[in-house]
Amino acid sequence: MTGLPDILHITERSLWEEARARGTFEISTRGRTLQEEGFIHCSTEDQLPRVAAFLYGSYDGPDELVVLAVDPARVGVPVRWESAEPGGEEFPHVYGPIPVTAVVDVRPWP
């Protein structure tokens, strides 16, 4: 146990399966890669329902959605808590690929 809270990332199951085969997860958010965005968007348990509704509220894809629980102590790259605007709500951002070994749980999103 690291003492650090897990951070969460919602994604399509096929993207997670591709990452497992490759060894790293590199999708920042729906439709954007780590290379395009510069970091991987994550959230806390409390933030996840709003993030899921914003990103996937209209999702009608062939793939089920899954939530990746990431142990920040295992990512090996900076994790910064940042807001989109000064004084706004802060979200965890992972500044590099997430090793699949840092993903400690995968669960379906209802």
Side-chain angles (χ1 to χ4, degrees), residues 27-79:
I27 302 299
S28 177
T29 189
R30 184 176 180 187
R32 295 195 48 91
T33 66
L34 166 63
Q35 291 74 25
E36 292 169 322
E37 194 73 9
F39 57 86
I40 296 174
H41 289 271
C42 292
S43 64
T44 65
E45 190 79 38
D46 289 341
Q47 294 167 332
L48 186 62
R50 287 179 285 132
V51 170
F54 177 73
L55 293 175
Y56 291 99
S58 63
Y59 181 75
D60 191 23
D63 230 352
E64 81 171 321
L65 298 175
V66 294
V67 177
L68 310 179
V70 179
D71 181 345
R74 295 184 186 186
V75 296
V77 296
V79 176

mmCIF file of all heavy atoms in Angstrom, residues 27-79:
data_model
loop_
_atom_site.group_PDB
_atom_site.id
_atom_site.type_symbol
_atom_site.label_atom_id
_atom_site.label_comp_id
_atom_site.label_asym_id
_atom_site.label_seq_id
_atom_site.Cartn_x
_atom_site.Cartn_y
_atom_site.Cartn_z
ATOM 1 N N ILE A 27 -3.540 7.004 -24.163
ATOM 2 C CA ILE A 27 -4.706 7.762 -24.620
ATOM 3 C C ILE A 27 -5.014 8.825 -23.572
ATOM 4 O O ILE A 27 -5.228 8.515 -22.401
ATOM 5 C CB ILE A 27 -5.928 6.846 -24.834
ATOM 6 C CG1 ILE A 27 -5.604 5.749 -25.852
ATOM 7 C CG2 ILE A 27 -7.143 7.659 -25.260
ATOM 8 C CD1 ILE A 27 -5.234 6.241 -27.241
ATOM 9 N N SER A 28 -5.039 10.086 -23.997
ATOM 10 C CA SER A 28 -5.254 11.181 -23.055
ATOM 11 C C SER A 28 -6.707 11.301 -22.644
ATOM 12 O O SER A 28 -7.037 11.399 -21.473
ATOM 13 C CB SER A 28 -4.783 12.503 -23.661
ATOM 14 O OG SER A 28 -5.058 13.561 -22.777
ATOM 15 N N THR A 29 -7.556 11.331 -23.640
ATOM 16 C CA THR A 29 -8.988 11.491 -23.420
ATOM 17 C C THR A 29 -9.684 11.010 -24.688
ATOM 18 O O THR A 29 -9.020 10.631 -25.651
ATOM 19 C CB THR A 29 -9.327 12.966 -23.089
ATOM 20 O OG1 THR A 29 -10.682 13.056 -22.672
ATOM 21 C CG2 THR A 29 -9.087 13.894 -24.248
ATOM 22 N N ARG A 30 -10.974 11.021 -24.720
ATOM 23 C CA ARG A 30 -11.701 10.503 -25.880
ATOM 24 C C ARG A 30 -11.245 11.208 -27.163
ATOM 25 O O ARG A 30 -11.370 12.424 -27.298
ATOM 26 C CB ARG A 30 -13.203 10.697 -25.688
ATOM 27 C CG ARG A 30 -14.008 10.087 -26.804
ATOM 28 C CD ARG A 30 -15.483 10.209 -26.558
ATOM 29 N NE ARG A 30 -16.219 9.602 -27.652
ATOM 30 C CZ ARG A 30 -17.523 9.666 -27.789
ATOM 31 N NH1 ARG A 30 -18.250 10.300 -26.880
ATOM 32 N NH2 ARG A 30 -18.111 9.102 -28.811
ATOM 33 N N GLY A 31 -10.675 10.412 -28.073
ATOM 34 C CA GLY A 31 -10.273 10.934 -29.375
ATOM 35 C C GLY A 31 -8.930 11.647 -29.406
ATOM 36 O O GLY A 31 -8.545 12.179 -30.437
ATOM 37 N N ARG A 32 -8.202 11.665 -28.292
ATOM 38 C CA ARG A 32 -6.904 12.370 -28.259
ATOM 39 C C ARG A 32 -5.861 11.518 -27.548
ATOM 40 O O ARG A 32 -6.136 10.935 -26.509
ATOM 41 C CB ARG A 32 -7.031 13.716 -27.573
ATOM 42 C CG ARG A 32 -7.936 14.656 -28.377
ATOM 43 C CD ARG A 32 -7.862 16.095 -27.994
ATOM 44 N NE ARG A 32 -6.566 16.680 -27.858
ATOM 45 C CZ ARG A 32 -5.883 17.289 -28.840
ATOM 46 N NH1 ARG A 32 -6.355 17.340 -30.052
ATOM 47 N NH2 ARG A 32 -4.718 17.865 -28.583
ATOM 48 N N THR A 33 -4.664 11.514 -28.112
ATOM 49 C CA THR A 33 -3.574 10.736 -27.538
ATOM 50 C C THR A 33 -2.739 11.585 -26.587
ATOM 51 O O THR A 33 -2.835 12.817 -26.575
ATOM 52 C CB THR A 33 -2.649 10.199 -28.641
ATOM 53 O OG1 THR A 33 -2.006 11.308 -29.278
ATOM 54 C CG2 THR A 33 -3.410 9.360 -29.672
ATOM 55 N N LEU A 34 -1.897 10.911 -25.841
ATOM 56 C CA LEU A 34 -0.928 11.579 -24.979
ATOM 57 C C LEU A 34 -0.060 12.528 -25.798
ATOM 58 O O LEU A 34 0.194 13.661 -25.391
ATOM 59 C CB LEU A 34 -0.055 10.529 -24.276
ATOM 60 C CG LEU A 34 1.217 11.012 -23.589
ATOM 61 C CD1 LEU A 34 0.899 11.970 -22.453
ATOM 62 C CD2 LEU A 34 2.022 9.827 -23.086
ATOM 63 N N GLN A 35 0.367 12.099 -26.969
ATOM 64 C CA GLN A 35 1.225 12.920 -27.817
ATOM 65 C C GLN A 35 0.514 14.196 -28.274
ATOM 66 O O GLN A 35 1.132 15.251 -28.376
ATOM 67 C CB GLN A 35 1.702 12.113 -29.037
ATOM 68 C CG GLN A 35 2.674 10.995 -28.681
ATOM 69 C CD GLN A 35 2.009 9.787 -27.995
ATOM 70 O OE1 GLN A 35 0.821 9.526 -28.151
ATOM 71 N NE2 GLN A 35 2.776 9.075 -27.191
ATOM 72 N N GLU A 36 -0.777 14.109 -28.526
ATOM 73 C CA GLU A 36 -1.547 15.280 -28.955
ATOM 74 C C GLU A 36 -1.830 16.241 -27.800
ATOM 75 O O GLU A 36 -1.787 17.460 -27.975
ATOM 76 C CB GLU A 36 -2.881 14.838 -29.572
ATOM 77 C CG GLU A 36 -2.724 14.099 -30.884
ATOM 78 C CD GLU A 36 -4.012 13.441 -31.330
ATOM 79 O OE1 GLU A 36 -4.771 12.905 -30.485
ATOM 80 O OE2 GLU A 36 -4.258 13.450 -32.545
ATOM 81 N N GLU A 37 -2.113 15.688 -26.628
ATOM 82 C CA GLU A 37 -2.555 16.502 -25.484
ATOM 83 C C GLU A 37 -1.412 16.922 -24.558
ATOM 84 O O GLU A 37 -1.489 17.945 -23.904
ATOM 85 C CB GLU A 37 -3.613 15.715 -24.707
ATOM 86 C CG GLU A 37 -4.404 16.504 -23.728
ATOM 87 C CD GLU A 37 -5.411 17.441 -24.349
ATOM 88 O OE1 GLU A 37 -5.647 17.396 -25.569
ATOM 89 O OE2 GLU A 37 -5.975 18.237 -23.592
ATOM 90 N N GLY A 38 -0.377 16.081 -24.458
ATOM 91 C CA GLY A 38 0.748 16.387 -23.582
ATOM 92 C C GLY A 38 0.671 15.714 -22.223
ATOM 93 O O GLY A 38 1.642 15.692 -21.482
ATOM 94 N N PHE A 39 -0.486 15.189 -21.866
ATOM 95 C CA PHE A 39 -0.679 14.461 -20.609
ATOM 96 C C PHE A 39 -1.926 13.607 -20.744
ATOM 97 O O PHE A 39 -2.683 13.753 -21.700
ATOM 98 C CB PHE A 39 -0.797 15.411 -19.412
ATOM 99 C CG PHE A 39 -1.903 16.425 -19.525
ATOM 100 C CD1 PHE A 39 -3.191 16.127 -19.134
ATOM 101 C CD2 PHE A 39 -1.648 17.697 -20.030
ATOM 102 C CE1 PHE A 39 -4.208 17.062 -19.244
ATOM 103 C CE2 PHE A 39 -2.652 18.640 -20.145
ATOM 104 C CZ PHE A 39 -3.939 18.322 -19.754
ATOM 105 N N ILE A 40 -2.125 12.715 -19.790
ATOM 106 C CA ILE A 40 -3.313 11.857 -19.768
ATOM 107 C C ILE A 40 -4.255 12.394 -18.696
ATOM 108 O O ILE A 40 -3.878 12.539 -17.531
ATOM 109 C CB ILE A 40 -2.933 10.393 -19.480
ATOM 110 C CG1 ILE A 40 -2.054 9.863 -20.624
ATOM 111 C CG2 ILE A 40 -4.190 9.532 -19.308
ATOM 112 C CD1 ILE A 40 -1.492 8.477 -20.395
ATOM 113 N N HIS A 41 -5.472 12.714 -19.112
ATOM 114 C CA HIS A 41 -6.500 13.210 -18.194
ATOM 115 C C HIS A 41 -6.966 12.083 -17.271
ATOM 116 O O HIS A 41 -7.275 10.994 -17.741
ATOM 117 C CB HIS A 41 -7.723 13.709 -18.975
ATOM 118 C CG HIS A 41 -7.501 14.961 -19.721
ATOM 119 N ND1 HIS A 41 -7.719 16.197 -19.163
ATOM 120 C CD2 HIS A 41 -7.074 15.188 -20.987
ATOM 121 C CE1 HIS A 41 -7.453 17.140 -20.058
ATOM 122 N NE2 HIS A 41 -7.054 16.544 -21.175
ATOM 123 N N CYS A 42 -7.035 12.372 -15.988
ATOM 124 C CA CYS A 42 -7.557 11.419 -15.016
ATOM 125 C C CYS A 42 -8.516 12.155 -14.083
ATOM 126 O O CYS A 42 -8.719 13.360 -14.215
ATOM 127 C CB CYS A 42 -6.419 10.771 -14.229
ATOM 128 S SG CYS A 42 -5.369 9.688 -15.226
ATOM 129 N N SER A 43 -9.086 11.422 -13.159
ATOM 130 C CA SER A 43 -10.016 12.027 -12.213
ATOM 131 C C SER A 43 -9.990 11.236 -10.914
ATOM 132 O O SER A 43 -9.379 10.172 -10.828
ATOM 133 C CB SER A 43 -11.438 12.052 -12.784
ATOM 134 O OG SER A 43 -11.914 10.731 -12.971
ATOM 135 N N THR A 44 -10.695 11.765 -9.926
ATOM 136 C CA THR A 44 -10.912 11.054 -8.673
ATOM 137 C C THR A 44 -12.233 10.302 -8.779
ATOM 138 O O THR A 44 -13.003 10.492 -9.737
ATOM 139 C CB THR A 44 -10.994 12.031 -7.490
ATOM 140 O OG1 THR A 44 -12.156 12.854 -7.666
ATOM 141 C CG2 THR A 44 -9.738 12.888 -7.372
ATOM 142 N N GLU A 45 -12.533 9.497 -7.795
ATOM 143 C CA GLU A 45 -13.806 8.769 -7.753
ATOM 144 C C GLU A 45 -14.978 9.753 -7.790
ATOM 145 O O GLU A 45 -15.959 9.536 -8.497
ATOM 146 C CB GLU A 45 -13.863 7.920 -6.484
ATOM 147 C CG GLU A 45 -15.017 6.956 -6.438
ATOM 148 C CD GLU A 45 -14.798 5.701 -7.268
ATOM 149 O OE1 GLU A 45 -13.680 5.187 -7.309
ATOM 150 O OE2 GLU A 45 -15.785 5.240 -7.878
ATOM 151 N N ASP A 46 -14.882 10.857 -7.037
ATOM 152 C CA ASP A 46 -15.964 11.848 -6.992
ATOM 153 C C ASP A 46 -16.135 12.571 -8.329
ATOM 154 O O ASP A 46 -17.250 12.948 -8.694
ATOM 155 C CB ASP A 46 -15.714 12.882 -5.898
ATOM 156 C CG ASP A 46 -15.894 12.306 -4.502
ATOM 157 O OD1 ASP A 46 -16.538 11.244 -4.359
ATOM 158 O OD2 ASP A 46 -15.380 12.920 -3.553
ATOM 159 N N GLN A 47 -15.038 12.800 -9.038
ATOM 160 C CA GLN A 47 -15.089 13.527 -10.307
ATOM 161 C C GLN A 47 -15.533 12.650 -11.474
ATOM 162 O O GLN A 47 -16.026 13.154 -12.484
ATOM 163 C CB GLN A 47 -13.704 14.109 -10.637
ATOM 164 C CG GLN A 47 -13.237 15.173 -9.682
ATOM 165 C CD GLN A 47 -11.760 15.488 -9.845
ATOM 166 O OE1 GLN A 47 -10.956 14.646 -10.264
ATOM 167 N NE2 GLN A 47 -11.380 16.716 -9.501
ATOM 168 N N LEU A 48 -15.360 11.341 -11.348
ATOM 169 C CA LEU A 48 -15.570 10.432 -12.473
ATOM 170 C C LEU A 48 -16.961 10.514 -13.116
ATOM 171 O O LEU A 48 -17.049 10.561 -14.348
ATOM 172 C CB LEU A 48 -15.252 8.998 -12.059
ATOM 173 C CG LEU A 48 -15.305 7.977 -13.193
ATOM 174 C CD1 LEU A 48 -14.277 8.293 -14.272
ATOM 175 C CD2 LEU A 48 -15.101 6.572 -12.643
ATOM 176 N N PRO A 49 -18.063 10.541 -12.377
ATOM 177 C CA PRO A 49 -19.372 10.599 -13.040
ATOM 178 C C PRO A 49 -19.522 11.826 -13.947
ATOM 179 O O PRO A 49 -20.055 11.725 -15.056
ATOM 180 C CB PRO A 49 -20.373 10.634 -11.881
ATOM 181 C CG PRO A 49 -19.650 9.956 -10.757
ATOM 182 C CD PRO A 49 -18.209 10.378 -10.925
ATOM 183 N N ARG A 50 -19.035 12.986 -13.511
ATOM 184 C CA ARG A 50 -19.126 14.200 -14.339
ATOM 185 C C ARG A 50 -18.236 14.085 -15.573
ATOM 186 O O ARG A 50 -18.629 14.479 -16.669
ATOM 187 C CB ARG A 50 -18.746 15.434 -13.532
ATOM 188 C CG ARG A 50 -19.817 15.824 -12.533
ATOM 189 C CD ARG A 50 -19.418 17.034 -11.705
ATOM 190 N NE ARG A 50 -18.430 16.598 -10.713
ATOM 191 C CZ ARG A 50 -17.290 17.212 -10.480
ATOM 192 N NH1 ARG A 50 -16.961 18.300 -11.128
ATOM 193 N NH2 ARG A 50 -16.459 16.749 -9.567
ATOM 194 N N VAL A 51 -17.034 13.553 -15.381
ATOM 195 C CA VAL A 51 -16.112 13.384 -16.506
ATOM 196 C C VAL A 51 -16.707 12.405 -17.518
ATOM 197 O O VAL A 51 -16.693 12.654 -18.731
ATOM 198 C CB VAL A 51 -14.727 12.903 -16.007
ATOM 199 C CG1 VAL A 51 -13.845 12.481 -17.163
ATOM 200 C CG2 VAL A 51 -14.058 13.987 -15.183
ATOM 201 N N ALA A 52 -17.244 11.295 -17.036
ATOM 202 C CA ALA A 52 -17.841 10.300 -17.929
ATOM 203 C C ALA A 52 -19.014 10.883 -18.709
ATOM 204 O O ALA A 52 -19.146 10.660 -19.914
ATOM 205 C CB ALA A 52 -18.283 9.076 -17.134
ATOM 206 N N ALA A 53 -19.859 11.650 -18.032
ATOM 207 C CA ALA A 53 -21.001 12.271 -18.712
ATOM 208 C C ALA A 53 -20.530 13.269 -19.765
ATOM 209 O O ALA A 53 -21.083 13.324 -20.870
ATOM 210 C CB ALA A 53 -21.906 12.959 -17.696
ATOM 211 N N PHE A 54 -19.509 14.046 -19.446
ATOM 212 C CA PHE A 54 -18.981 15.041 -20.376
ATOM 213 C C PHE A 54 -18.351 14.376 -21.604
ATOM 214 O O PHE A 54 -18.618 14.768 -22.734
ATOM 215 C CB PHE A 54 -17.961 15.924 -19.668
ATOM 216 C CG PHE A 54 -17.315 16.942 -20.561
ATOM 217 C CD1 PHE A 54 -18.021 18.048 -20.999
ATOM 218 C CD2 PHE A 54 -16.005 16.790 -20.969
ATOM 219 C CE1 PHE A 54 -17.430 18.991 -21.837
ATOM 220 C CE2 PHE A 54 -15.398 17.718 -21.800
ATOM 221 C CZ PHE A 54 -16.115 18.824 -22.243
ATOM 222 N N LEU A 55 -17.532 13.366 -21.377
ATOM 223 C CA LEU A 55 -16.799 12.736 -22.479
ATOM 224 C C LEU A 55 -17.593 11.671 -23.223
ATOM 225 O O LEU A 55 -17.431 11.501 -24.431
ATOM 226 C CB LEU A 55 -15.502 12.103 -21.957
ATOM 227 C CG LEU A 55 -14.446 13.056 -21.454
ATOM 228 C CD1 LEU A 55 -13.289 12.276 -20.853
ATOM 229 C CD2 LEU A 55 -13.951 13.954 -22.580
ATOM 230 N N TYR A 56 -18.421 10.932 -22.499
ATOM 231 C CA TYR A 56 -19.067 9.770 -23.102
ATOM 232 C C TYR A 56 -20.589 9.794 -22.977
ATOM 233 O O TYR A 56 -21.234 8.785 -23.213
ATOM 234 C CB TYR A 56 -18.527 8.487 -22.467
ATOM 235 C CG TYR A 56 -17.089 8.221 -22.832
ATOM 236 C CD1 TYR A 56 -16.055 8.548 -21.964
ATOM 237 C CD2 TYR A 56 -16.770 7.652 -24.057
ATOM 238 C CE1 TYR A 56 -14.735 8.306 -22.303
ATOM 239 C CE2 TYR A 56 -15.453 7.408 -24.409
ATOM 240 C CZ TYR A 56 -14.442 7.732 -23.528
ATOM 241 O OH TYR A 56 -13.136 7.493 -23.868
ATOM 242 N N GLY A 57 -21.151 10.937 -22.634
ATOM 243 C CA GLY A 57 -22.595 11.027 -22.482
ATOM 244 C C GLY A 57 -23.354 10.616 -23.728
ATOM 245 O O GLY A 57 -24.418 10.016 -23.650
ATOM 246 N N SER A 58 -22.791 10.903 -24.875
ATOM 247 C CA SER A 58 -23.442 10.539 -26.140
ATOM 248 C C SER A 58 -22.789 9.318 -26.786
ATOM 249 O O SER A 58 -23.040 9.023 -27.939
ATOM 250 C CB SER A 58 -23.358 11.724 -27.112
ATOM 251 O OG SER A 58 -21.987 12.007 -27.412
ATOM 252 N N TYR A 59 -21.979 8.603 -26.031
ATOM 253 C CA TYR A 59 -21.231 7.468 -26.585
ATOM 254 C C TYR A 59 -22.165 6.353 -27.007
ATOM 255 O O TYR A 59 -23.013 5.904 -26.242
ATOM 256 C CB TYR A 59 -20.234 6.951 -25.540
ATOM 257 C CG TYR A 59 -19.399 5.797 -26.029
ATOM 258 C CD1 TYR A 59 -18.362 6.002 -26.931
ATOM 259 C CD2 TYR A 59 -19.638 4.499 -25.598
ATOM 260 C CE1 TYR A 59 -17.583 4.950 -27.385
ATOM 261 C CE2 TYR A 59 -18.866 3.448 -26.041
ATOM 262 C CZ TYR A 59 -17.837 3.670 -26.931
ATOM 263 O OH TYR A 59 -17.069 2.632 -27.378
ATOM 264 N N ASP A 60 -22.004 5.926 -28.245
ATOM 265 C CA ASP A 60 -22.797 4.828 -28.780
ATOM 266 C C ASP A 60 -21.867 3.905 -29.566
ATOM 267 O O ASP A 60 -22.209 3.444 -30.637
ATOM 268 C CB ASP A 60 -23.917 5.380 -29.671
ATOM 269 C CG ASP A 60 -24.922 4.307 -30.034
ATOM 270 O OD1 ASP A 60 -25.031 3.308 -29.304
ATOM 271 O OD2 ASP A 60 -25.590 4.466 -31.066
ATOM 272 N N GLY A 61 -20.682 3.698 -29.017
ATOM 273 C CA GLY A 61 -19.689 2.897 -29.710
ATOM 274 C C GLY A 61 -19.919 1.410 -29.540
ATOM 275 O O GLY A 61 -20.734 0.980 -28.732
ATOM 276 N N PRO A 62 -19.178 0.647 -30.289
ATOM 277 C CA PRO A 62 -19.325 -0.807 -30.227
ATOM 278 C C PRO A 62 -18.668 -1.423 -28.997
ATOM 279 O O PRO A 62 -18.895 -2.577 -28.669
ATOM 280 C CB PRO A 62 -18.600 -1.265 -31.495
ATOM 281 C CG PRO A 62 -17.560 -0.216 -31.724
ATOM 282 C CD PRO A 62 -18.197 1.070 -31.261
ATOM 283 N N ASP A 63 -17.858 -0.641 -28.315
ATOM 284 C CA ASP A 63 -17.038 -1.106 -27.210
ATOM 285 C C ASP A 63 -17.642 -0.723 -25.877
ATOM 286 O O ASP A 63 -18.209 0.358 -25.745
ATOM 287 C CB ASP A 63 -15.696 -0.376 -27.317
ATOM 288 C CG ASP A 63 -14.502 -1.286 -27.235
ATOM 289 O OD1 ASP A 63 -14.675 -2.473 -26.939
ATOM 290 O OD2 ASP A 63 -13.403 -0.787 -27.458
ATOM 291 N N GLU A 64 -17.480 -1.570 -24.867
ATOM 292 C CA GLU A 64 -17.896 -1.145 -23.536
ATOM 293 C C GLU A 64 -16.832 -0.214 -22.964
ATOM 294 O O GLU A 64 -15.671 -0.248 -23.361
ATOM 295 C CB GLU A 64 -18.129 -2.344 -22.618
ATOM 296 C CG GLU A 64 -16.899 -2.931 -22.006
ATOM 297 C CD GLU A 64 -17.228 -3.971 -20.935
ATOM 298 O OE1 GLU A 64 -18.178 -3.802 -20.157
ATOM 299 O OE2 GLU A 64 -16.484 -4.967 -20.885
ATOM 300 N N LEU A 65 -17.272 0.637 -22.055
ATOM 301 C CA LEU A 65 -16.350 1.549 -21.379
ATOM 302 C C LEU A 65 -15.854 0.893 -20.098
ATOM 303 O O LEU A 65 -16.596 0.174 -19.430
ATOM 304 C CB LEU A 65 -17.048 2.867 -21.056
ATOM 305 C CG LEU A 65 -17.553 3.649 -22.265
ATOM 306 C CD1 LEU A 65 -18.342 4.871 -21.806
ATOM 307 C CD2 LEU A 65 -16.413 4.049 -23.168
ATOM 308 N N VAL A 66 -14.578 1.161 -19.788
ATOM 309 C CA VAL A 66 -13.990 0.648 -18.561
ATOM 310 C C VAL A 66 -13.311 1.784 -17.813
ATOM 311 O O VAL A 66 -12.916 2.793 -18.405
ATOM 312 C CB VAL A 66 -12.976 -0.490 -18.823
ATOM 313 C CG1 VAL A 66 -13.667 -1.720 -19.388
ATOM 314 C CG2 VAL A 66 -11.851 -0.038 -19.729
ATOM 315 N N VAL A 67 -13.177 1.606 -16.515
ATOM 316 C CA VAL A 67 -12.481 2.560 -15.664
ATOM 317 C C VAL A 67 -11.178 1.906 -15.210
ATOM 318 O O VAL A 67 -11.189 0.805 -14.646
ATOM 319 C CB VAL A 67 -13.342 2.947 -14.444
ATOM 320 C CG1 VAL A 67 -12.573 3.880 -13.518
ATOM 321 C CG2 VAL A 67 -14.646 3.582 -14.905
ATOM 322 N N LEU A 68 -10.078 2.596 -15.480
ATOM 323 C CA LEU A 68 -8.766 2.133 -15.048
ATOM 324 C C LEU A 68 -8.426 2.818 -13.730
ATOM 325 O O LEU A 68 -8.489 4.046 -13.646
ATOM 326 C CB LEU A 68 -7.700 2.488 -16.081
ATOM 327 C CG LEU A 68 -7.968 2.116 -17.542
ATOM 328 C CD1 LEU A 68 -6.805 2.568 -18.415
ATOM 329 C CD2 LEU A 68 -8.231 0.631 -17.683
ATOM 330 N N ALA A 69 -8.108 2.046 -12.713
ATOM 331 C CA ALA A 69 -7.629 2.602 -11.452
ATOM 332 C C ALA A 69 -6.110 2.543 -11.492
ATOM 333 O O ALA A 69 -5.523 1.467 -11.633
ATOM 334 C CB ALA A 69 -8.168 1.815 -10.267
ATOM 335 N N VAL A 70 -5.488 3.716 -11.400
ATOM 336 C CA VAL A 70 -4.044 3.845 -11.563
ATOM 337 C C VAL A 70 -3.404 4.223 -10.237
ATOM 338 O O VAL A 70 -3.842 5.177 -9.586
ATOM 339 C CB VAL A 70 -3.732 4.921 -12.634
ATOM 340 C CG1 VAL A 70 -2.230 5.097 -12.801
ATOM 341 C CG2 VAL A 70 -4.395 4.583 -13.964
ATOM 342 N N ASP A 71 -2.368 3.495 -9.865
ATOM 343 C CA ASP A 71 -1.604 3.826 -8.665
ATOM 344 C C ASP A 71 -0.547 4.853 -9.063
ATOM 345 O O ASP A 71 0.390 4.527 -9.787
ATOM 346 C CB ASP A 71 -0.937 2.573 -8.110
ATOM 347 C CG ASP A 71 -0.133 2.824 -6.848
ATOM 348 O OD1 ASP A 71 0.169 4.000 -6.533
ATOM 349 O OD2 ASP A 71 0.215 1.837 -6.180
ATOM 350 N N PRO A 72 -0.679 6.115 -8.613
ATOM 351 C CA PRO A 72 0.262 7.157 -9.036
ATOM 352 C C PRO A 72 1.709 6.871 -8.630
ATOM 353 O O PRO A 72 2.638 7.353 -9.281
ATOM 354 C CB PRO A 72 -0.256 8.430 -8.379
ATOM 355 C CG PRO A 72 -1.298 8.024 -7.427
ATOM 356 C CD PRO A 72 -1.697 6.617 -7.709
ATOM 357 N N ALA A 73 1.911 6.067 -7.605
ATOM 358 C CA ALA A 73 3.272 5.744 -7.180
ATOM 359 C C ALA A 73 3.966 4.805 -8.165
ATOM 360 O O ALA A 73 5.181 4.673 -8.131
ATOM 361 C CB ALA A 73 3.252 5.113 -5.789
ATOM 362 N N ARG A 74 3.189 4.178 -9.045
ATOM 363 C CA ARG A 74 3.758 3.213 -9.988
ATOM 364 C C ARG A 74 3.942 3.759 -11.404
ATOM 365 O O ARG A 74 4.478 3.055 -12.252
ATOM 366 C CB ARG A 74 2.857 1.984 -10.083
ATOM 367 C CG ARG A 74 2.762 1.184 -8.816
ATOM 368 C CD ARG A 74 1.925 -0.041 -9.077
ATOM 369 N NE ARG A 74 1.669 -0.811 -7.874
ATOM 370 C CZ ARG A 74 1.060 -1.977 -7.873
ATOM 371 N NH1 ARG A 74 0.630 -2.513 -8.991
ATOM 372 N NH2 ARG A 74 0.861 -2.616 -6.738
ATOM 373 N N VAL A 75 3.499 4.975 -11.678
ATOM 374 C CA VAL A 75 3.543 5.445 -13.071
ATOM 375 C C VAL A 75 4.945 5.820 -13.528
ATOM 376 O O VAL A 75 5.253 5.728 -14.711
ATOM 377 C CB VAL A 75 2.552 6.598 -13.358
ATOM 378 C CG1 VAL A 75 1.121 6.138 -13.189
ATOM 379 C CG2 VAL A 75 2.847 7.808 -12.526
ATOM 380 N N GLY A 76 5.792 6.288 -12.623
ATOM 381 C CA GLY A 76 7.159 6.616 -12.994
ATOM 382 C C GLY A 76 7.314 7.904 -13.784
ATOM 383 O O GLY A 76 8.388 8.184 -14.322
ATOM 384 N N VAL A 77 6.251 8.685 -13.880
ATOM 385 C CA VAL A 77 6.279 9.998 -14.530
ATOM 386 C C VAL A 77 5.521 10.966 -13.630
ATOM 387 O O VAL A 77 4.774 10.540 -12.748
ATOM 388 C CB VAL A 77 5.649 9.960 -15.952
ATOM 389 C CG1 VAL A 77 6.454 9.058 -16.878
ATOM 390 C CG2 VAL A 77 4.197 9.521 -15.912
ATOM 391 N N PRO A 78 5.685 12.274 -13.841
ATOM 392 C CA PRO A 78 4.978 13.225 -12.980
ATOM 393 C C PRO A 78 3.455 13.121 -13.068
ATOM 394 O O PRO A 78 2.897 12.921 -14.149
ATOM 395 C CB PRO A 78 5.443 14.590 -13.499
ATOM 396 C CG PRO A 78 6.746 14.326 -14.177
ATOM 397 C CD PRO A 78 6.612 12.947 -14.769
ATOM 398 N N VAL A 79 2.813 13.235 -11.911
ATOM 399 C CA VAL A 79 1.357 13.366 -11.810
ATOM 400 C C VAL A 79 1.122 14.714 -11.164
ATOM 401 O O VAL A 79 1.574 14.969 -10.053
ATOM 402 C CB VAL A 79 0.733 12.243 -10.972
ATOM 403 C CG1 VAL A 79 -0.776 12.471 -10.809
ATOM 404 C CG2 VAL A 79 1.018 10.875 -11.580
#
